[in-house]
Amino acid sequence: DTQRLFDVNVFGAMRVFSACLPALVRSGGRLVLITSFLSVVPLPGLATYTATKAALEGWAAAVCMENIVPVSTVIDGFIRTPISDTDSHYHKPGWPYKRSVGPGGLQQTWMDAFDTQLDEHTGAVARAIADRYPRHRYVVGWDATLTMAAVWFFPGWLVHLFINGLYDWFG
């Protein structure tokens, strides 16, 4: 599972970028990577996914500093997909936060309140590609926006204390 996630989320992006780099430079194109707010605020049980998205954030920053091509990241909140299906992904043996998923759980409550719609995501990707002066980060969804604002304005220990408190409350 860990190797597969890194192969897809990190090494896959690096391989595609390497293959497309000459064309990107010739055409004045740019690199747009999809990350997650979980890259800065990890949640229990999602360590590997969090690590892959944090690796992409770090790699994007490094590529940006090399001034080869413009680089943008799209930082998503929760988007309903098969992997976020509360009945399939998190109900594994050993999952320590079973009450945090399913009806009334933290993930379900969070997704019901902040569910990022796919058109919001695709709109942000389109802006990252088409903007004349692209930003380094495009934050999509209220959950990602609130989380990133908390990370930017509050000390990390306080943000993590709050997130862990939510999991203690629901978990």
Side-chain angles (χ1 to χ4, degrees), residues 25-112:
V25 170
R26 276 193 312 275
S27 67
R30 62 187 72 160
L31 174 64
V32 177
L33 295 167
I34 310 303
T35 65
S36 169
F37 74 98
L38 296 176
S39 66
V40 293
V41 179
L43 296 180
L46 297 173
T48 303
Y49 177 81
T50 296
T52 65
K53 294 305 184 175
L56 275 180
E57 280 284 330
W59 182 63
V63 171
C64 185
M65 295 301 291
E66 294 173 1
N67 288 319
I68 300 170
V69 294
V71 179
S72 295
T73 57
V74 175
I75 302 173
D76 278 330
F78 280 116
I79 299 176
R80 287 189 197 274
T81 65
I83 199 169
S84 65
D85 177 3
T86 58
D87 292 328
S88 64
H89 183 66
Y90 295 108
H91 293 277
K92 298 177 184 173
W95 173 253
Y97 298 95
K98 290 204 184 289
R99 282 193 335 135
S100 66
V101 296
L106 177 60
Q107 181 191 4
Q108 189 64 49
T109 303
W110 189 279
M111 289 183 86
D112 288 346

Side-chain angles (χ1 to χ4, degrees), residues 89-167:
H89 183 66
Y90 295 108
H91 293 277
K92 298 177 184 173
W95 173 253
Y97 298 95
K98 290 204 184 289
R99 282 193 335 135
S100 66
V101 296
L106 177 60
Q107 181 191 4
Q108 189 64 49
T109 303
W110 189 279
M111 289 183 86
D112 288 346
F114 298 114
D115 191 18
T116 302
Q117 300 300 311
L118 192 55
D119 61 338
E120 293 177 78
H121 167 79
T122 54
V125 171
R127 285 190 306 280
I129 293 169
D131 280 355
R132 184 174 179 157
Y133 302 104
R135 296 182 292 202
H136 177 66
R137 287 190 174 109
Y138 292 79
V139 181
V140 181
W142 279 105
D143 53 350
T145 301
L146 292 173
T147 302
M148 296 304 290
V151 168
W152 291 328
F153 292 114
F154 298 106
W157 65 267
L158 186 59
V159 174
H160 289 281
L161 184 69
F162 176 73
I163 296 295
N164 286 335
L166 285 176
Y167 266 86

